[in-house]
Amino acid sequence: MPPMQSLVAAVTLVLIAAVLVQVRRAHIRVEYSVSWLGAGLALLAVTFYPGLLPRLANFAGLQDESLTLLLLVGCIFLFVLFRLSIVVSALKDNNIALAQRLAILEYHLSHLNEKETQRS
Amino acid sequence: MPTASSLQHTAALEAPNDLLVLIPAFNESACIAGVLSELWEILPGCAVVVVDDCSRDATAQLAEQAGAQVLRLPHHLGLGGAVQAGYKLAYELGYEVVIRIDGDGQHDPRDIRRIYDTLKETGVEMVIGSRFLPESSGYKTTFLRGLVIRFFRLMLRPILAQPVRDPTSGFVGVNRAALELFSRVFPLEYPEIEALVVLQRCVFRFREVPCSMRPRAGGQSSITLWKSVYYIVHVLLGVFVNILKMDVRRLGGR
Ligand SMILES: Nc1nc2c(ncn2[C@@H]2O[C@H](COP(=O)(O)OP(=O)(O)O)[C@@H](O)[C@H]2O)c(=O)[nH]1
Ligand SMILES: [Mg+2]
């Protein structure tokens, strides 16, 4: 295995291990570990399955296998990041709506309390 | 149509009870009390909600001490999120007209009447207090901001199918229809320009009335030079996204 591929394989293994550890500790929710694990497994497949990378390079019309691998890594993580942006945006929207609702409810509540104290 | 005399004589009257004045405020402890006392001088008894966006200073306490209702956001949302929170509250409380003014004393409460009357008399959904109409008086803005405003004016013209002189004005009145819309859909961070496009998407109308602007009464503008670059990019993208939504809607409607 060329050094480039060993490096990617090593980093990928560390990544997968780290994701699994974090999922176990509940720092990453299972649904968000899926894209990381999927990305990691795809990279492992490419680095360990001998014929795959040359075929991919050939398919992409590239001479250089390392470059192909790098591009592949880039694309996969672009996809993961894209997915995360969607998740973060949805979370932000929900979070803002929630903060607004909380503020409004507190407003109503404090007015109810005022009315109560006026009555008694 | 508002006649000149109706505008002059209304200044001393009690504030209409279907009107809510909304003041988004972030770190405005230097100005907020003065803004409120001037407002009530002009519009006695006017309902006011100050939306405190988690200010790090005493803005909320000072507003409360001055007698305003304060909507306290649990964490910092930015201008758009704060204004929308105010719109949602106003909608729930049943107000017919909501007029937003700045918490830094730049807007003259004497202009609130004109915005209110124009909303009521013309039936348009939104009225903008504009610094740049021929009748507007007073402070305009800095040179750089003037350029930015000119740029957005040109850009918005074909989108809105109607000229707008002061698209970045924060002195804005809305009626209940627009209130309902903005409670559901409202841009975050820098809302003014995008709100116009949102309005256009719903085929709502707006109109501008002259108002006089003043320099800040104290404190500092939240928009620094670096932020104004971000502002332009952010607003351009926001407008673009809203245009995309507009077209999808039109195609879907056919
Ligand atoms: N709620 C909230 N209000 C803000 C924020 N930034 C600015 N404001 C308020 O919006 C108004 C206009 O802001 P300002 O900094 O004066 O902008 P400028 O008038 O365009 O220079 C003032 O009342 C500010 O207190 C924010 O992040 N959240
Ligand atoms: Mg200001």
Side-chain angles (χ1 to χ4, degrees):
Chain A
M1 203 188 275
M4 171 80 177
Q5 290 187 33
S6 333
L7 186 71
V8 171
V11 171
T12 308
L13 281 174
V14 171
L15 175 74
I16 290 178
V19 169
L20 286 178
V21 168
Q22 294 305 327
V23 171
R24 215 182 87 91
R25 290 190 190 153
H27 290 170
I28 299 182
R29 295 190 60 85
V30 176
E31 36 305 12
Y32 302 119
S33 69
V34 172
S35 52
W36 286 115
L37 291 178
L41 288 180
L43 285 179
L44 277 189
V46 171
T47 43
F48 280 105
Y49 187 68
L52 205 51
L53 195 55
R55 233 185 287 162
L56 275 176
N58 197 18
F59 179 74
L62 293 170
Q63 245 80 88
D64 192 345
E65 287 184 12
S66 307
L67 184 64
T68 313
L69 185 58
L70 212 63
L71 279 178
L72 194 70
V73 171
C75 288
I76 287 178
F77 285 104
L78 215 57
F79 174 76
V80 172
L81 287 178
F82 175 75
R83 222 181 85 88
L84 284 183
S85 289
I86 292 178
V87 171
V88 168
S89 301
L91 275 178
K92 180 163 182 182
D93 281 350
N94 293 343
N95 176 281
I96 286 172
L98 212 61
Q100 291 174 334
R101 187 100 305 261
L102 176 71
I104 292 172
L105 286 178
E106 273 185 345
Y107 180 95
H108 290 319
L109 197 63
S110 74
H111 280 248
L112 275 182
N113 284 341
E114 261 168 41
K115 269 186 208 151
E116 282 294 306
T117 45
Q118 271 168 16
R119 218 176 284 156
S120 56
Chain B
M1 283 287 109
T3 60
S5 64
S6 77
L7 289 180
Q8 272 158 18
H9 292 304
T10 44
L13 293 180
E14 281 273 314
N17 55 13
D18 62 350
L19 164 71
L20 178 75
V21 170
L22 195 67
I23 309 183
F26 180 55
N27 296 341
E28 296 288 7
S29 61
C31 311
I32 193 73
V35 169
L36 289 166
S37 65
E38 189 190 15
L39 174 71
W40 282 318
E41 220 169 85
I42 312 295
L43 288 168
C46 181
V48 181
V49 168
V50 173
V51 186
D52 175 53
D53 202 0
C54 243
S55 296
R56 284 182 295 272
D57 61 11
T59 302
Q61 293 90 308
L62 289 170
E64 217 149 57
Q65 275 164 25
Q69 306 297 334
V70 180
L71 183 63
R72 291 166 196 258
L73 295 172
H75 59 81
H76 186 74
L77 292 189
L79 187 56
V83 171
Q84 191 186 33
Y87 283 158
K88 286 182 176 177
L89 177 66
Y91 186 72
E92 285 178 17
L93 295 176
Y95 286 99
E96 290 292 328
V97 172
V98 175
I99 297 180
R100 178 195 143 193
I101 66 173
D102 277 4
D104 59 3
Q106 284 197 277
H107 298 142
D108 189 335
R110 273 161 273 263
D111 294 322
I112 290 177
R113 251 305 164 181
R114 191 174 307 122
I115 291 183
Y116 179 86
D117 289 343
T118 309
L119 276 169
K120 287 282 174 174
E121 283 159 18
T122 62
V124 296
E125 281 79 13
M126 180 163 130
V127 172
I128 303 173
S130 172
R131 285 165 279 183
F132 301 113
L133 290 173
E135 307 90 334
S136 313
S137 57
Y139 170 85
K140 301 295 178 197
T141 186
T142 57
F143 174 73
L144 202 68
R145 282 209 198 184
L147 283 182
V148 173
I149 291 172
R150 233 167 265 200
F151 167 74
F152 280 121
R153 233 185 253 165
L154 285 176
M155 190 195 74
L156 285 170
R157 198 179 168 137
I159 300 172
L160 303 179
Q162 157 186 6
V164 52
R165 297 294 187 103
D166 199 355
T168 62
S169 172
F171 203 171
V172 175
V174 295
N175 71 5
R176 200 158 165 83
L179 202 58
E180 193 274 331
L181 170 65
F182 287 155
S183 315
R184 284 184 288 116
V185 193
F186 200 67
L188 295 175
E189 298 203 2
Y190 310 114
E192 293 85 2
I193 292 177
E194 283 176 61
L196 276 169
V197 184
V198 170
L199 209 67
Q200 178 70 14
R201 254 167 61 196
C202 293
V203 213
F204 280 5
R205 298 147 302 161
F206 72 91
R207 185 174 285 222
E208 284 181 284
V209 298
C211 77
S212 56
M213 272 276 265
R214 306 174 291 198
R216 250 178 180 278
Q220 274 183 348
S221 169
S222 54
I223 305 207
T224 55
L225 180 68
W226 170 238
K227 273 202 190 159
S228 53
V229 175
Y230 175 70
Y231 177 100
I232 295 172
V233 175
H234 191 289
V235 170
L236 279 178
L237 269 174
V239 168
F240 179 66
V241 167
N242 273 293
I243 293 173
L244 286 182
K245 286 187 191 165
M246 183 148 57
D247 284 342
V248 169
R249 221 181 70 102
R250 278 193 193 147
L251 291 176
R254 262 173 215 162

